[in-house]
Amino acid sequence: MTKTKAGLPVETRKLEGWGRYPTASGLVMRPEKLSAVREAVTSERWTSVLARGLGRSYGDPAFNPEGCTLFTERLDRLISFDPQSGWLRAEGGLSFRSILDLFLPRGWFLPVTPGTRHVTLAGALACDVHGKNHHRDGSLGRHAGRLRMLLASGEEVECSAKERPELFHATIGGMGLTGLILEAELRLVPIQTAMIRQQVMPAGDLDSLMALLEEHDTRVPYSVAWLDTVAQGRSLGRGVLLLGQHAQVSDLPVAHARNPLRRGAGLRACVPVEAPGGLLNPTTIRAFNSTYFNLQKRKAGESLIALEPYFYPLDLVDDWNRMYGRSGFVQYQFVVPASTARSTLVGVLEACARKGLASFLSVLKRFGPGAGNLSFPFEGYTLTLDFPVVPGLFEFLDELDRMVLEAGGRLYLAKDARMNPATFRAMYPEFPAWLEVKRQVDPHDRFRSAQSIRLGMHSQEVLSR
Amino acid sequence: MSTLQGLRGRRICLVGSTSGIARALARQLASRGAILHLGARDLEEAGRDARDLELRGGLPVGFSRFEALDLASHPVFLEEARRQLGGLDCVVVAFGILGDQERARRDFAYARHVMEMNYLAPASILSHAGAMLEDQGTGGMLVALGSVAGDRGRPSNYTYGSAKAGLHAYLQGLRGRLAPAGIRVLTVKPGPVDTPMTFGMGFPGGRLTARPEAVARDIVRAMDRGNEVLYTPCHWSLIMGVLKAIPESIFKRMKI
Ligand SMILES: Cc1cc2nc3c(=O)[nH]c(=O)nc-3n(C[C@H](O)[C@H](O)[C@H](O)COP(=O)(O)OP(=O)(O)OC[C@H]3O[C@@H](n4cnc5c(N)ncnc54)[C@H](O)[C@@H]3O)c2cc1C
Ligand SMILES: NC(=O)c1ccc[n+]([C@@H]2O[C@H](COP(=O)([O-])OP(=O)(O)OC[C@H]3O[C@@H](n4cnc5c(N)ncnc54)[C@H](OP(=O)(O)O)[C@@H]3O)[C@@H](O)[C@H]2O)c1
């Protein structure tokens, strides 16, 4: 066993993101006390550190192969909650799952949530995650109050949109590179019931799908479309629009209305062993796409669905990322402005078809205005595709990068495992401004990730403009 | 009252409350409506834990300094806990250190420290707590964290193991002595648990290392039922049953 000066245990572990590509080996610590995390950040035993939440980002942003990766999930204490306003303050390692367990029964919900509950408060802020309500409510950072940061120097500072705003905005979406978020405030939103009124609308091609999104987004808080990436020709881009809004007590059947915040029983399935060649291969993915479309088409119309299966369908299967087999998968998520969206989407879908690549789960959504800095969303359309890692995939994705870049779009860092530094800089014009803040708070690049190393997101980096 | 049936409203003092197992236990006790007092040497942490538990359980949670090796302070600590709780129904003793067996072999002063932390100090606080409950005359419960390591001495951890074995025997005696006063004594013997104590020891994150939440759930159930000895996770009862049955002449040659 290795230990730090004060006797804090560390171990060497295999490190990877949710997509299980790429992998590395590195030192890991799991601080359970403030004194431990403080010591770890300034310890001379390693040259750099990185905070990690629950590792639900896909590629390489949540581990540090050179220094020490700090698993923060046990620093998860509640600090205050104001039942008048919904402001919650907690340690960064608190999971959305715990927030739901504790606050859903009291009538509160997350202002923004990704498609899984297994993320930490700080990890979600560091990625400035978006949810199905982005077109209306923006990304998570918009609902954050003050952050308490542990900086590379060991100094602890508070920041918010009003206080040290540069640090705050560089940290929201800053991928853990400005410092460690010890505590954060988030404003929960009141709900009457734990149910969602869902509306399912099939669309036979891309144009009608995009038209449906545009039409209903003004009206409905939650909207997202599932896209069939296998359909070709006239059906290219067909899909199903899934709309949702919180059900009111009056929407519930009488029996249920007596206990409107009751949560649906959680189904759970798990993928027990590593699927050797991958349970998800081109054949099964194709079959899934067509079957899913036809299934959803039959469900068209309105229904009441429990809140958690609505927001977190994938959480029903533990470790579903193993279905792709040992070589892992990448998620490719980009956003493009509305003006170039249609042609880019058609181009991407046709390129996938030419390559014979089908994506298992493909999601199309409209974003509202963005938050700036390294925060990913901006006004336009975002598409998310999953691809198992196979030979030739990365050359193909480089090709997609060029299409996205040309359309004025960019990729989501929380899902990225492979883009190159030049592409990154071209896609994120705010990067130099962000780097200025990084230079002030972390001049020696104490906070580094495999991704920041790959993309050169460092103070010591010389920017060639 | 001989068990803590219901746990709601029970006044429980957790000693060594910043331990991984105690923290998980405290959350479950708080959510079941127990009234808690935390004893720890790190007051910053204890204060944060107390606030967290208040927000989870909705009841006030107190805390005060507890230093295991300052035996003279133990009765003072318990008095303070009882004062803050307004009475006492249960004391849970959760502190301990695993220590480094290699170092303990070479440096007996260190071995003595491991023994003090795992036997002397727990015995001291338990003895005072037992007396306090007895004086109160209201029954109650003592809970202490032993270990499967105390069931059989092994070259890899016999300093720690022997202290836990001593603690087990002490608890057995205490159980008999306090029974007439309606005071229960629960000995908890966990297998490896994923806490700071074992992090980095290369235990597989999988099968044999339990999550502290699972161990805490077992402890709560045993407290509720008024059990006397708890192996947690439960398969350790079987494993230790087998290990204890192996004759010494064979066991000493086994590499486990
Ligand atoms: C099934 C699934 C669905 C998803 N759906 C969505 C979605 O709809 N929308 C969306 O936006 N994202 C989505 N994601 C991505 C996921 O929400 C984000 O990657 C999220 O940030 C992961 O949180 P985490 O706690 O696991 O962080 P990690 O993945 O562990 O870390 C992510 C980043 O946060 C940093 N970080 C972690 N903790 C701290 C800290 N204490 N201080 C500073 N930095 C820190 C890390 O350094 C890293 O850069 C999805 C992921 C999955 C697996
Ligand atoms: N983890 C396992 O695998 C395992 C297995 C079997 C039995 N157990 C037993 O279960 C109990 C809890 O274990 P754990 O894994 O939860 O332990 P842990 O997380 O390592 O916590 C140890 C606790 O002991 C406290 N402590 C150490 N020295 C102290 C002192 N001088 N005065 C006061 N407190 C002191 C620590 O306080 P600080 O936070 O201030 O350091 C900490 O709260 C222990 O008795 C352990 O032997 C554990």
Side-chain angles (χ1 to χ4, degrees), chain A residues 18 56 97 100 114-119 267-269 308 311-320:
Chain A
W18 188 246
R56 256 43 177 211
R97 168 79 199 260
L100 293 174
T116 173
R117 297 167 292 185
H118 304 299
V119 298
L267 288 166
R268 282 269 292 276
E308 283 159 294
F311 284 104
Y312 314 111
L314 287 169
D315 286 355
L316 298 180
V317 186
D318 282 340
D319 297 335
W320 61 264

Side-chain angles (χ1 to χ4, degrees), chain A residues 1-2 9-11 13 28-30 32-35 38 74 76-81 91 94 98 102 106 182-183, chain B residues 18 20 23 27 42 44-46 48-49 51-52 55-57 194-203 211-213:
Chain A
M1 172 175 26
T2 11
V10 295
E11 71 181 34
R13 270 198 202 169
V28 166
M29 214 182 109
R30 189 184 59 203
E32 302 201 9
K33 304 170 71 171
L34 287 182
S35 55
R38 287 180 187 130
R74 298 246 173 133
D76 69 340
R77 287 166 290 195
L78 306 173
I79 293 164
S80 62
F81 180 68
E91 290 180 339
L94 184 70
S98 305
L102 292 164
R106 307 184 199 178
L182 287 174
E183 300 173 5
Chain B
T18 56
R23 275 180 163 158
R27 285 186 174 178
D42 186 334
E44 181 186 26
E45 288 299 309
R48 294 174 77 88
D49 285 342
R51 189 76 192 105
D52 172 70
L55 288 162
R56 285 168 192 263
D194 186 17
T195 69
M197 185 175 274
T198 54
F199 189 87
M201 295 197 24
F203 288 159
R211 293 182 51 73
E213 292 76 19

Side-chain angles (χ1 to χ4, degrees), chain B residues 44-111:
Chain B
E44 181 186 26
E45 288 299 309
R48 294 174 77 88
D49 285 342
R51 189 76 192 105
D52 172 70
L53 294 163
E54 286 177 347
L55 288 162
R56 285 168 192 263
L59 292 168
V61 176
F63 62 98
S64 59
R65 182 183 304 281
F66 171 77
E67 169 51 60
L69 294 176
D70 182 2
L71 303 187
S73 72
H74 290 184
V76 186
F77 164 78
L78 286 170
E79 245 344 301
E80 175 62 16
R82 176 162 69 175
R83 193 186 63 74
Q84 288 196 25
L85 287 168
L88 191 64
D89 296 312
C90 175
V91 176
V92 180
V93 177
F95 62 86
I97 58 168
L98 183 54
D100 173 350
Q101 179 58 39
E102 269 306 293
R103 181 168 164 209
R105 186 168 61 86
R106 282 180 275 107
D107 171 1
F108 199 79
Y110 175 74

